[in-house]
Amino acid sequence: MPGSATPAALPAAHRVVLGLQWGDEGKGKIIDVLAAHCDLVVRCQGGANAGHTVVVGGRKTVLHLLPSGILHRHVRCLIGHGVVLDPVALGHELDELAAGGCDIAGRLLISERAHLVLPTHPLLDRAYEAARGAGKVGTTLRGIGPCYADKALRTGIRAGDLVDLPAVERAVRARIAHANALAQAWGVEPLDADAALASWLPAAQRIAPLVGDAIAALHAAVDAGQRVLFEGAQGVQLDIDVGTYPFVTSSNTGIGGVLTGTGISHRQIGEVIGVIKAYTTRVGSGPFVTELADERGERLRQRGQEFGATTGRPRRCGWLDLVAVRQACRLNGVDALALTKLDILDGEPELALCVAYRLDGRELTAPPARCADLERVQPVYEVLPGWQRPVSGARGVADLPEAARAYIARIERFLAVPVRWIGTGAARDALIERAP
Ligand code: GDP
Ligand code: IMO
Ligand code: MG
């Protein structure tokens, strides 16, 4: 039979974890939990704009570039070519992990095709944001957009180039001269090339031994029957194509970014897991249909400690927007959901779920493309009773208050996707898992 012995005929066990909102859904925690049953965890896109929190034994670790499986000693980690890698940020992260007693020796491989964040990129990020004035995106200022721009312009420098460090130094100096000319025109303080390289070059040199052929390593793992977990960063509403453009990040944050950012084939993806918070948060500017600019939003922010894991900025808070999440489920073929931070809703007298959008007298079932329209959209809410008994400590769904079960059931019915995991606290074990 033609093709019967090809890898395509093997069962595809590999899992993808994606954020379905505006990031910070709790992907780090879910990946950490799932990584216990995996051999390899792979970051696919984004860079140090991500902040993925893992809490183990009361100790909190925030990962920016390292895959969130790294705390499991048996797990190997790959940074795929879709990631934009800041050597200085990675160096800090490696130091922090080492200080916490986490040994990564022999467990981390960086794709030789991954683009490097250069000293010019945060500079240009600041310059572009300043030039946008009131219309600023509210980026993390980690140089993400300018690095992806250099990649698209074919003026980037890749991790594999570090085999020739003197050539990299010459190229970075040329990029700095170019960026400084732009910065000067925009009235932004230019870079001192020597000072910038004094920290960047040693950091780049340090990571050079970790760089290699990540595509080969990934496929070797797949062919050997190992279990691979792909870690999305940001969230689908921040996707450069289908998100709330231009208030988005500069990569494809959905399943497309997993494929193009790692070299895995679509046939090898077994399950797509979408992570959603039990309410909605957003950092930075841009439309937010269900935002609560009142004491209820403030209560969610304080109870949920909604302050950015990367920048410390307060996150904007609002009700769960099922219209946006349903679109994300459709576009990414989401098989199962992880619903996080249910505990933060404890004690709310009532909860609202956004089940449709209204614009100019019409009802919309999916988000409109233009931000100008999205800014004018009115949410259509379904109001459900809250629960007064804490959900923390619940070991199974049966232990949850009836109103919490009804809230979850409504989400599942609306999205037509099962909720397989329910987060009841930040710790690794504060998670209910339901049988598929
Ligand atoms: P990520 O970017 O998607 O990995 O999410 P972040 O780490 O930026 O933000 C999620 C925050 O919520 C972190 O502080 C987590 O420790 C925390 N968290 C995750 N799941 C839960 C949960 O179920 N309950 C509570 N209370 N906190 C959670
Ligand atoms: P994780 O992986 C939340 C947001 C920024 C800004 C926009 C563009 O932790 O969920 P960028 O620096 O990427 O050019 O900023 O995207 N943003 C995130 N918001 N979580 C993230 O990552 C984010 N990464 C970027 O706040 O609005
Ligand atoms: Mg985060």
Side-chain angles (χ1 to χ4, degrees), residues 19 23-30 50-55 60 62 68 231 234 275 277 303-310 315 339-344 422-427 430-431:
D24 302 331
E25 297 89 350
K27 299 175 291 296
K29 170 179 161 173
I30 299 299
H52 295 178
T53 313
V54 178
V55 180
K60 175 169 149 176
V62 182
S68 302
E231 173 170 359
Q234 290 80 53
V275 187
K277 221 175 253 188
R303 282 183 55 84
Q305 279 303 292
E306 295 295 355
F307 299 91
T310 295
R315 296 173 180 151
L339 178 71
T340 63
K341 302 191 94 161
L342 192 67
D343 51 307
I344 304 305
I422 301 158
T424 59
L431 190 71

Side-chain angles (χ1 to χ4, degrees), residues 26 29 37 55 67 118 122 173 188 246 307 309 336 339 357 361 384 394 408 423 427:
K29 170 179 161 173
H37 313 288
V55 180
L118 309 179
R173 283 189 185 278
V188 174
F307 299 91
L339 178 71
Y357 289 170
L384 281 78
I408 296 166

Side-chain angles (χ1 to χ4, degrees), residues 356-364 373 376-378 380:
Y357 289 170
R358 201 178 293 283
L359 180 67
D360 298 331
R362 282 182 309 127
E363 203 157 279
L364 309 182
D373 289 335
R376 295 189 304 115
V377 153
Q378 292 300 313
V380 177

Side-chain angles (χ1 to χ4, degrees), residues 122-210:
L123 171 84
L124 292 172
D125 208 350
R126 279 197 302 279
Y128 288 129
E129 281 289 82
R132 286 183 193 112
K136 71 176 183 177
V137 175
T139 75
T140 58
L141 299 178
R142 295 295 188 274
I144 304 300
C147 187
Y148 279 119
D150 265 348
K151 174 177 176 173
L153 286 168
R154 288 141 298 171
T155 48
I157 298 175
R158 306 200 295 180
D161 296 330
L162 293 174
V163 292
D164 185 350
L165 213 57
V168 165
E169 177 171 355
R170 285 194 299 278
V172 176
R173 283 189 185 278
R175 300 306 304 151
I176 291 176
H178 181 255
N180 278 350
L182 291 176
Q184 243 148 8
W186 289 339
V188 174
E189 184 76 20
L191 282 180
D192 177 319
D194 289 331
L197 283 164
S199 53
W200 191 88
L201 265 187
Q205 194 168 13
R206 175 179 176 191
I207 63 161
L210 302 172

